[in-house]
Amino acid sequence: MIRFPRHEGGDVSVVICGAAGQGIQTVEDLLVQVLRVEGYHVFGSREYMSRVRGGNNSTEIRVSSRPVRALVDRIDLLIPLNGGVRANIIERIDEGTIIIGDGEELGTEFAGYEDQFLNAPVLEEARQVGGKVYASVIAAGILAGLFDVSTGPVESYFEKRFGAKGDKIVAQNREALDRGLTMARRLLEKGRFSLAVRPNPQESRIAVNGTDAVGLGALAGGCNLVTAYPMSPASGVLSFMAQKARDFGVVVEQVEDEIAAINWAVGGAYAGARPLVTTSGGGFALMTEGLSLAAVMEAPVVVHLAQRPGPATGMATRTEQADLELALYGGHGEFPRVIFAPGSLGEAFDLTRRAFDLASRFQSPAIVLTDQYFVNSFYDLPPFDVGRELPKSYLVEAGPDYRRYAESPDGISPMAVPGHGEGLVGADSHEHDEVGHVYEDFHLRKRMNDKRLRKAEAIFAETLAPTLIGPDDYRDLVICWGSTRHIVEEALDELDRPGLAMLHFAQVWPLHGDTAGLLGRAERVVAVEGNATAQLARLIRRETGIEIKEKLLNYSGLQFSVEKVREGLRDLLS
Amino acid sequence: MIRFPRHEGGDVSVVICGAAGQGIQTVEDLLVQVLRVEGYHVFGSREYMSRVRGGNNSTEIRVSSRPVRALVDRIDLLIPLNGGVRANIIERIDEGTIIIGDGEELGTEFAGYEDQFLNAPVLEEARQVGGKVYASVIAAGILAGLFDVSTGPVESYFEKRFGAKGDKIVAQNREALDRGLTMARRLLEKGRFSLAVRPNPQESRIAVNGTDAVGLGALAGGCNLVTAYPMSPASGVLSFMAQKARDFGVVVEQVEDEIAAINWAVGGAYAGARPLVTTSGGGFALMTEGLSLAAVMEAPVVVHLAQRPGPATGMATRTEQADLELALYGGHGEFPRVIFAPGSLGEAFDLTRRAFDLASRFQSPAIVLTDQYFVNSFYDLPPFDVGRELPKSYLVEAGPDYRRYAESPDGISPMAVPGHGEGLVGADSHEHDEVGHVYEDFHLRKRMNDKRLRKAEAIFAETLAPTLIGPDDYRDLVICWGSTRHIVEEALDELDRPGLAMLHFAQVWPLHGDTAGLLGRAERVVAVEGNATAQLARLIRRETGIEIKEKLLNYSGLQFSVEKVREGLRDLLS
Amino acid sequence: MANRFDLENIDIAWCPGCGDFPILESLKKALTELDLMPRDVVFVSGIGQAAKLPHYIKGHFFNGLHGRALSNATAIKAANPSLKVIAIGGDGDMYGEGGNHFLHTIRRNPDIANFVHNNMVYGLTKGQASPTSQVGFKTPVQVDGVFSTPVNPVALALAQGAAFVGRAFAGDIEQTKEIMKKAIAFKGYALVDILQPCVSFNKVNTYAWFKERIYYLDESHDRSDRMKALERALEPDRFALGVLYSQERPSFESSLAPYRNDDRPLYARSPDLEKLDGLIRSL
Amino acid sequence: MANRFDLENIDIAWCPGCGDFPILESLKKALTELDLMPRDVVFVSGIGQAAKLPHYIKGHFFNGLHGRALSNATAIKAANPSLKVIAIGGDGDMYGEGGNHFLHTIRRNPDIANFVHNNMVYGLTKGQASPTSQVGFKTPVQVDGVFSTPVNPVALALAQGAAFVGRAFAGDIEQTKEIMKKAIAFKGYALVDILQPCVSFNKVNTYAWFKERIYYLDESHDRSDRMKALERALEPDRFALGVLYSQERPSFESSLAPYRNDDRPLYARSPDLEKLDGLIRSL
Ligand SMILES: Cc1ncc(C[n+]2csc(CCOP(=O)(O)OP(=O)(O)O)c2C)c(N)n1
Ligand SMILES: Cc1ncc(C[n+]2csc(CCOP(=O)(O)OP(=O)(O)O)c2C)c(N)n1
Ligand code: SF4
Ligand code: SF4
Ligand SMILES: [Mg+2]
Ligand SMILES: [Mg+2]
């Protein structure tokens, strides 16, 4: 008999896979909501193909008594809703995996795994309820049953989700669920596995994904103008903001292309809005001219850049961390910018809010770099702290002789907007005089370029230090950035090697002044990056001279798993 | 009496300035053609405002018995065609400058310079010839007279230039010129200065500017498709190619925007054309998504990126070297590329040709990085050597089972084009299989990404070494790239310090493997760059770990002069 | 029925019931009836559900960036005028991201056929409004419904002097095929806007919805009268199908320098080095 | 004559005789006659000779990138609907690089006036063809003359449902001013395509050339009839001037969430933190 969790205090990793449009999302939703209410900790992550129907997608849900926040390869329970399970799932089945599926639907697909396969005639049952569409709810029922959830939360979930569709729908879903619960009992009775993860109720937990965290951070930062052209995996933030537009007074416009998106942002910022654009690499590439405009106009804009694999269309619904250099150098000419790469949902909220603050304060572009893995992954955590302080407005009233680009020691000129105060407000894409009028003078050019670049010093002073996790007196140091934080953290936990620590960069530009010192203290440094050329390591060398020779890189389109980082580091550090 | 050249064997630096549309171009043309035929060496460089009429622009022409190829601040003869001379000219007047101008037109503008000012009633004479427009030809005549040119070349110049406009025009111009020649005699008779630079006739010299050199190199490289959206300072190459389109069988299309330009290039390359796009920083920024497309499709495209100061519109007709990082990192995802930055006209020809060869051979984008100073500067030199070898075509015929992205040890797949051979040819912006069809597989992804990135090794093997100029056993080393080559060279000549050498990078990516060794041999290294953040120095540090602490940077909108480099280095090296 | 343009062993990523299937069917039939072979044709597309089509048909293919297919296609045609070039895309692809290329390709008149699967929605990115979405159409982004007036692609093409303008309905394979044949055979830029139901994300503009509003132009329609065509194009709540306008004028390629007295495609050429040497020495 | 929109001590970079001067003059007069003050107005432009105008008139100004003024302008209006927003540019700026924004701004109908100095050439970059250059127009790039059919901006706007479409001639300050006044006062997107001679680079479409081809629409013209307006717009070799079409419909800003029951511009607002806290706790 296989026991889950495999280790004392561990989690159970459930993977549900099926065709697009087949309801995996429903299973995920139901499970997460219900398990969370029951007091479990949950983590979830999706991988899906670039299609609307068919194919095969999967969701991993880890359920635990302790917080879980990272992707694992390990599959404890695999629930294939239909055939055509893809290699990336099959490869992850080990001798401890239990597969629960409908033999009728799956045919011989799991032929080699008879010992681990438990037949659950989901399809037949679904047909009895009213059609194939109920298969996913039945599957959810099975899982709910296995985790032994109480009926209260399930009922309220159904009410919330399907209530509007009428009693019949609610009833049928309820029936499908009940059948699943019953099947769960029968499956357990077979005695092939047991499931003994215990809930650990805590006060007020929320469960959000990276998209929500970025969106909420934007709202907290005072964002009131969102322009975007839909692009995976960045459009979630667009929908999120659209749905909050009325409640929070946000102008949300899906524009005709990415160039419009960034140019709206710059125009809006000029007029006093706090704009956000959300896009992915290809869209960002198109925006770089506009980013340069924001820089020369000193208009505060925030860009959410959710990375996916390139070049070009690449893998539209997959993940990668290969646009750091694009974010850093995109746009012609030279100008300061800020780039955050949150590693946790909390950081995503805080740093998106901070991006609005810094953009406004330094009148320079700020970029929040996430990726598909990050925006589509969720876990439970305490509610973000909104605090009581309103986002600071750095705007001044324009006096009669207002000069938009007045010289100042730190390069920051008081910013006014048209209509606020008596004065006139100008902005110009050319090199300009203090009022903002184009004026060709070589000394002026130098002065203005210096003024803009000088802001880099003020920005540098506000840089966040990378987060050191592990012993202070490390000998080996793993560096990483963005979405791999929790993955590396868990891998290091598992490795449990003395003298091994990690350094996570949630701000990748500018690099904090301690970077060289922190790296210098290590005997060995390994860079873990989700790209093929170790972009952060190269940047670190450029800035500190320190060459990071050991690299663990991944650019398969899927995020690193805890196991891949663990084993990769084990090899590199042995 | 002031003697020109100021030093034995030196050159005479003539600066003509006047409003846009006032005929400076004519003076420049005439002088250069005529002086060159006479056997002088000439160098010319223009700086001009972003306007069509009015303002004040200038051309510097250096005339010498020895080759001259760099911008100087020194003005020996200043010919202001009208008032409103700008500070950048006035600042360069020294006690050895002779100003020849029309007192009537200039009023009190040169009030402080009575001793150096020679009145030449150009306007009155022009009116007598037939109108103000002849002032520029009279000025040209004065200069021709001062240099004592023979009438033959002048006559043939007029015939060529104005012949089509009819005898009257030729005659009036001729008269204007004669008046200028006469004025020259009178000016010399005043005995305030003498001019004793001697011609040094050499066999077959041509005089071209950077635009011509790039255009000719493209033709030599087999370029047969040019797409562009006009943008200073890159549009010269567009016009050049348009004018040669018939003779050389080139498709030249001015498209609706830069995105179209690059996407035409990729489409054309797919079908077997050898495309060139020409643009400046802002346009290039818009093209970066398309560059990424070229990379994933492995379509050979060449981009001419003529830099000007940014950010955004910046200074549209001025110069800078601040888009190296944009050229290097522009585009999302990771892919190899080649970047040349020619320092001489010969290099511009050779490297543009080479860009076509490498792009075709490695099926990777190649970028030729110039700047406004470079494309608008000319000098005389021996004709470019076209040779006898036709540009190599790397195309294969498509067999019936042709696979566009077949695996290969060096990552280079045999390239076929539709219509050549039996097979079908595919190209895809997604990650794809060997045939080119989109296919979501994580192992395939890795293989294909590796295949593309592997080409970087082959490209690296073909990297050109930087050019070392000066003693082999240098102690101090000046590094520079692109258009500053001759400027730094002349500055070093003038400094004439033992143990001082320079290293010029005409290929800035990849960096040649000798770079670290060459820099390591120096006790002190100074980077001379036309930008504010020392982009090449940063890149060198990233690639070699060597930090270049001493920097001489210029981002005023005007190129470095020999004097500025000389004095800057003198300070830094003292 | 087997067709020479069938591609074997493919996994079509479209949703069952999608209007893209009959469009693909119509296209294969049209090409076959025109007696073209896969190696004669280059299918060019951008990104979107419609833009996946080149992966589902036998031929040369170039599947480029979202919105840029017309730029790629025109250059392919310019590089090798002997190829039949067909540019395919969705309404977002061609009229949203690619709107500027659409406008300027009409002006240029390259000899390419342009088939736009107009489903009035962004399919691939899961249901946002497209430039042709009807006013009031609700989506997760357009939560209060679409506000902007939809693009009228047919009217736009006509107003800008397009040489061939057609409209079809995916639900009618026979007629769509006929219109496609005319567009492909036409020498010049030929737009066919194809009304296409998206069964997953557009629950408003369904097969039934379209069927109620379409009608075919009959013989009495004068295809050489631009104003008449515009009248049809601007009818509210009705969609005239067929060839609205068709009048040949010189195609873009015919204007190009390399083909004045030489038919060879560009790939088959080399520069005239002697001439180049002469040019250089003249400078 | 002094005008409250005069800007002192400026060096105007336009060529003497350029049609841009009378357009500037017309605009200042129109604004003054509408009794607007410089601080009420934001002049938004891209890059080109025309696009320099905001540097020559008193008011707020935003001189952005080539081709993008309509995007900037719409966002400015959306961020602060109390501002009068006027977007200015050349034919290359608005119909070439900016073509896609032009098309989609028409659809959106923000309350901005859009004045396009249509000189049928690229002035600032020294004489290449523009999207409105006439067929046959020769330039250093179009050495064999322009081949493409020119953009017909007025027809395009009409075909896409523009709410206000006008055309003017730079040479006639009085009438241009009147048309501008109507456009500025109009609540919604108002295009005025202004025929503008470029004395330096366009030796074909001169003041005289235009004068021979223009005529003003008279009272009999029905401004609410789109088809009639299109007929005017598509006349070959003639340019009907005046307001071709004008029919108000709700403006883009009126659809925006923040202004449903709150008039304050965005700069004057802060997020409702309590509501946000509630939202977060509900997730
Ligand atoms: C530059 C860029 N922006 C955005 C996207 C994302 N994207 C892919 S397809 C698509 C729209 C699809 O709609 P449509 O063109 O109408 O095609 P459909 O799927 O409806 O057939 C978008 C926005 C992209 N791939 N590239
Ligand atoms: C992205 C970009 N591409 C190209 C340019 C160069 N450019 C500046 S103005 C202009 C065209 C000017 O023509 P038009 O818009 O008609 O204005 P005009 O000068 O005729 O008034 C171009 C191509 C630019 N500034 N930015
Ligand atoms: S999402 Fe719509 S357009 Fe796309 S394949 Fe499905 S039904 Fe067709
Ligand atoms: S170039 Fe033409 S448009 Fe520009 S200012 Fe001169 S005359 Fe006017
Ligand atoms: Mg669509
Ligand atoms: Mg123009």
Side-chain angles (χ1 to χ4, degrees), chain D residues 226-239:
Chain D
R226 197 176 288 282
M227 280 311 298
K228 279 268 155 25
L230 263 166
E231 262 169 47
R232 295 300 187 187
L234 289 169
E235 284 174 327
D237 299 323
R238 292 180 79 199
F239 299 99

Side-chain angles (χ1 to χ4, degrees), chain A residues 47-51 86-88 91 231 259 281-289 292-293 295-296 308-318 320-323 325-326 329-335 429-431 438-443 445-447 449-450 452-453 509 530-535 537-539 541-546 553-558, chain B residues 47-51 86-88 91 231 259 281-289 292-293 295-296 308-318 320-323 325-326 329-335 429-431 438-443 445-447 449-450 452-453 509 530-535 537-539 541-546 553-558:
Chain A
E47 59 86 16
Y48 49 99
M49 300 177 75
S50 181
R51 57 194 293 168
R86 285 156 51 83
N88 61 307
E91 287 164 3
M231 186 163 195
I259 300 172
F284 186 82
L286 290 168
M287 291 181 185
T288 52
E289 193 205 14
S292 183
L293 176 68
V296 84
R308 70 189 216 192
T313 310
M315 302 182 91
T317 60
R318 305 300 178 176
E320 195 160 90
Q321 296 185 290
D323 289 335
E325 287 174 340
L326 176 67
Y329 306 104
H332 54 299
E334 300 174 294
F335 52 89
S429 71
H430 302 87
E431 196 53 276
V438 50
Y439 188 63
E440 288 196 51
D441 177 280
F442 306 103
H443 301 288
R445 155 67 181 176
K446 205 175 154 311
R447 267 206 294 129
N449 208 36
D450 284 340
R452 288 188 299 268
L453 290 170
W509 186 257
N531 58 52
T533 62
Q535 299 187 10
R538 301 211 279 198
L539 178 61
R541 189 175 195 201
R542 195 192 79 173
E543 294 298 301
T544 68
I546 296 173
L553 304 175
N554 172 35
Y555 45 96
S556 68
L558 290 176
Chain B
E47 58 87 16
Y48 50 99
M49 300 177 76
S50 182
R51 57 192 293 171
R86 284 157 51 83
N88 62 307
E91 287 164 4
M231 186 165 194
I259 300 172
F284 186 81
L286 290 168
M287 291 182 185
T288 53
E289 193 205 14
S292 183
L293 176 69
V296 84
R308 68 190 218 190
T313 311
M315 302 182 91
T317 59
R318 305 300 179 175
E320 195 159 89
Q321 296 185 290
D323 289 335
E325 287 174 341
L326 176 68
Y329 306 104
H332 54 299
E334 301 175 293
F335 53 88
S429 71
H430 302 89
E431 197 53 275
V438 50
Y439 188 62
E440 288 197 52
D441 177 278
F442 305 105
H443 300 289
R445 155 67 181 177
K446 206 175 153 310
R447 268 205 293 128
N449 208 35
D450 284 340
R452 288 188 298 269
L453 290 170
W509 187 256
N531 59 52
T533 62
Q535 299 188 7
R538 301 211 278 197
L539 179 62
R541 191 177 193 199
R542 195 192 79 172
E543 294 297 302
T544 68
I546 297 173
L553 304 174
N554 172 35
Y555 43 96
S556 66
L558 290 176

Side-chain angles (χ1 to χ4, degrees), chain C residues 177-223:
Chain C
K177 179 202 71 185
E178 289 305 320
I179 299 166
M180 281 178 164
K181 276 165 69 179
K182 295 203 182 83
I184 295 168
F186 185 83
K187 192 136 184 60
Y189 173 77
L191 169 73
V192 184
D193 185 66
I194 309 174
L195 304 171
Q196 174 235 327
C198 164
V199 296
S200 292
F201 293 114
N202 191 332
K203 310 289 187 189
V204 175
N205 311 106
T206 60
Y207 284 93
W209 189 92
F210 281 119
K211 275 192 193 130
E212 274 169 30
R213 287 164 179 81
I214 56 171
Y215 70 98
Y216 284 92
L217 292 170
D218 60 21
E219 289 304 295
S220 74
H221 177 72
D222 178 357
R223 293 180 184 163

Side-chain angles (χ1 to χ4, degrees), chain A residues 398-427:
Chain A
D401 294 316
Y402 177 69
R403 296 187 344 274
R404 174 66 189 90
Y405 302 109
E407 270 286 357
S408 78
D410 57 5
I412 302 165
S413 313
M415 177 167 173
V417 298
H420 185 39
E422 284 304 303
L424 298 176
V425 180

Side-chain angles (χ1 to χ4, degrees), chain A residues 209-212 214 233-234 237 304 306 370-377:
Chain A
N209 65 18
T211 295
D212 302 330
V214 168
V237 171
H304 170 234
T370 67
D371 55 43
Q372 178 271 327
Y373 167 74
F374 189 84
V375 296
N376 288 324
S377 295

Side-chain angles (χ1 to χ4, degrees), chain A residues 331-549:
Chain A
H332 54 299
E334 300 174 294
F335 52 89
R337 65 187 90 191
V338 177
I339 310 177
F340 293 120
S344 67
L345 295 172
E347 281 176 352
F349 177 81
D350 291 341
L351 298 181
T352 305
R353 172 159 59 175
R354 187 174 174 83
F356 281 90
D357 182 61
L358 296 189
S360 306
R361 177 163 162 203
F362 300 123
Q363 301 168 32
S364 292
I367 299 165
V368 179
L369 211 53
T370 67
D371 55 43
Q372 178 271 327
Y373 167 74
F374 189 84
V375 296
N376 288 324
S377 295
F378 62 84
Y379 50 77
D380 63 294
L381 76 172
F384 301 129
D385 182 13
V386 168
R388 294 215 190 129
E389 235 179 286
L390 287 172
K392 190 160 157 47
S393 162
Y394 297 92
L395 299 177
V396 300
E397 253 183 66
D401 294 316
Y402 177 69
R403 296 187 344 274
R404 174 66 189 90
Y405 302 109
E407 270 286 357
S408 78
D410 57 5
I412 302 165
S413 313
M415 177 167 173
V417 298
H420 185 39
E422 284 304 303
L424 298 176
V425 180
D428 188 16
S429 71
H430 302 87
E431 196 53 276
H432 41 248
D433 63 17
E434 292 198 358
V435 173
H437 284 302
V438 50
Y439 188 63
E440 288 196 51
D441 177 280
F442 306 103
H443 301 288
L444 175 69
R445 155 67 181 176
K446 205 175 154 311
R447 267 206 294 129
M448 279 292 163
N449 208 36
D450 284 340
K451 176 183 119 59
R452 288 188 299 268
L453 290 170
R454 203 154 61 232
K455 294 191 290 185
E457 289 164 38
I459 290 173
F460 180 75
E462 291 296 319
T463 307
L464 302 174
T467 309
L468 181 70
I469 302 171
D472 234 20
D473 56 342
Y474 49 84
R475 283 194 314 276
D476 296 326
L477 186 66
V478 176
I479 66 148
C480 61
W481 59 282
S483 65
T484 52
R485 173 181 166 149
H486 291 308
I487 298 166
V488 176
E489 211 172 336
E490 188 168 335
L492 260 57
D493 260 3
E494 294 191 355
L495 280 172
D496 194 22
R497 282 169 67 112
L500 176 59
M502 66 179 276
L503 194 61
H504 177 266
F505 289 81
Q507 180 163 4
V508 287
W509 186 257
L511 290 181
H512 192 269
D514 288 351
T515 305
L518 286 163
L519 267 74
R521 268 158 56 193
E523 278 167 28
R524 276 194 296 197
V525 182
V526 182
V528 174
E529 299 194 45
N531 58 52
T533 62
Q535 299 187 10
L536 180 67
R538 301 211 279 198
L539 178 61
I540 287 177
R541 189 175 195 201
R542 195 192 79 173
E543 294 298 301
T544 68
I546 296 173
E547 185 178 6
I548 300 174
K549 293 221 177 74

